Amino acid sequence: MSRRLLLAFLCSFTAASAQAPPYDPAIFLKPVPTAEMDFVKQLAGKSSGDVIKDKQFRKLMKNFVPDCMFHYGRDMPLQDALEMALERSPLPSGIRDGRYFMIAGEKGPYLAGRAFLWIDLQTGIGAGAFFFHPTNGEPTPTVAVFARQVREKAIGLSDLPPAFADDLIQWTAAARIPPVTTRYFLTGNNKRILLEHDEDFCLAEDGSHLPADSGCEQRNADAADIDVNTAYYLEQIHYATNGTAWMVVGANQSAWMQVRDNACRVGPDLLGCRIRVSHEHVRVISQRPIGGHPPVHAGRR
């Protein structure tokens, strides 16, 4: 994008156009009948490690966990990685508001693996997350959020159930996971896509805005920069769930960042400009067709 085109874009793009649409439950396909999940209520209060060993629960997980390969130190099915991080967890399982069942673990055998699984017993949908520190050249640390019932091509946190988003944020805080970090989404199509930071860190829980000196706008800008880097990385590995490659900052990425920063200096709101333009660029990258070359993959390490 030339500097002239980018300046024109900055004049026409408004914050209102960047607002995320409300959550649409229809993105979750094939909900599990509630009768098939009644047994889960009997597991509440047991340790997450005991729950993950329950044969009936492990069978139920297959409805929510994508059937894909995942690179957690080495290639393995995603469900195996979850079980490794959960099987020794003493954290109690629980049911919030009589419907949201959750287990969590911080006992991954390596790379600080931590896992979280969430099921809505009323609607029959589920999702989860896996956090660790990759050492294979990709951005690190990372949070891989997943939902087998979702097959979207692009997604942000606001597209997921609000109750899940709230519990995910609570889990990341309890597990000491940085609120702004590389974030993926593993879909039912066995693709790894960007889970965009479309939340506003300047918005307080009561709906008020945090003061300018709180640093929240800088956090929004950092999140947007991370999303740009993650989008480029996913494009490099062709969105493979277990694709690995050393993160390479290409000439196009460097040139785009320079044009963005130069253009945003002309306005009164440098950070706001960077955030808006970065989010738009992420969408441009995410909508580009996957190239014809096979995914970059470093093999088993």
Side-chain angles (χ1 to χ4, degrees), residues 113-150:
R114 302 167 193 176
F116 170 69
L117 188 63
W118 179 96
I119 301 173
D120 185 344
L121 300 176
Q122 286 189 14
T123 62
I125 66 175
F130 193 92
F131 169 86
F132 74 112
H133 288 261
T135 58
N136 58 353
E138 68 178 283
T140 186
T142 71
V143 174
V145 178
F146 58 84
R148 184 170 185 165
Q149 295 160 307
V150 174

Side-chain angles (χ1 to χ4, degrees), residues 180-215:
V180 176
T181 188
T182 298
R183 210 162 62 181
Y184 305 116
F185 189 86
L186 308 178
T187 74
N189 287 330
N190 292 341
K191 294 294 182 183
R192 177 165 44 155
I193 62 176
L194 173 69
L195 179 62
E196 190 173 356
H197 288 85
D198 58 2
E199 62 266 44
D200 185 356
F201 291 102
C202 288
L203 192 63
E205 290 185 7
D206 61 2
S208 63
H209 284 268
L210 298 176
D213 59 359
S214 67

Side-chain angles (χ1 to χ4, degrees), residues 185-301:
F185 189 86
L186 308 178
T187 74
N189 287 330
N190 292 341
K191 294 294 182 183
R192 177 165 44 155
I193 62 176
L194 173 69
L195 179 62
E196 190 173 356
H197 288 85
D198 58 2
E199 62 266 44
D200 185 356
F201 291 102
C202 288
L203 192 63
E205 290 185 7
D206 61 2
S208 63
H209 284 268
L210 298 176
D213 59 359
S214 67
C216 65
E217 195 71 353
Q218 182 62 57
R219 182 174 291 183
N220 282 332
D222 293 342
D225 285 347
I226 283 178
D227 285 350
V228 170
N229 289 335
T230 305
Y232 274 112
Y233 177 76
L234 289 170
E235 190 175 46
Q236 287 180 31
I237 63 169
H238 301 278
Y239 304 94
T241 57
N242 63 332
T244 63
W246 291 97
M247 177 65 185
V248 177
V249 178
N252 289 340
Q253 181 178 357
S254 297
W256 176 84
M257 293 177 67
Q258 187 64 52
V259 171
R260 178 201 64 181
D261 293 346
N262 289 341
C264 285
R265 289 194 184 100
V266 303
D269 184 9
L270 188 152
L271 282 180
C273 173
R274 274 181 49 193
I275 294 165
R276 292 192 297 272
V277 176
S278 295
H279 280 302
E280 181 64 19
H281 192 56
V282 162
R283 296 183 183 101
V284 170
I285 298 171
S286 300
Q287 292 170 6
R288 290 200 289 239
I290 299 175
H293 299 290
V296 179
H297 185 57
R300 299 180 186 274
R301 293 176 181 269

Side-chain angles (χ1 to χ4, degrees), residues 23 96 100 118 157-169:
Y23 160 61
R96 180 171 69 84
Y100 305 116
W118 179 96
L157 187 63
S158 65
D159 295 308
L160 300 175
F164 171 74
D166 290 343
D167 289 329
L168 178 69
I169 292 171

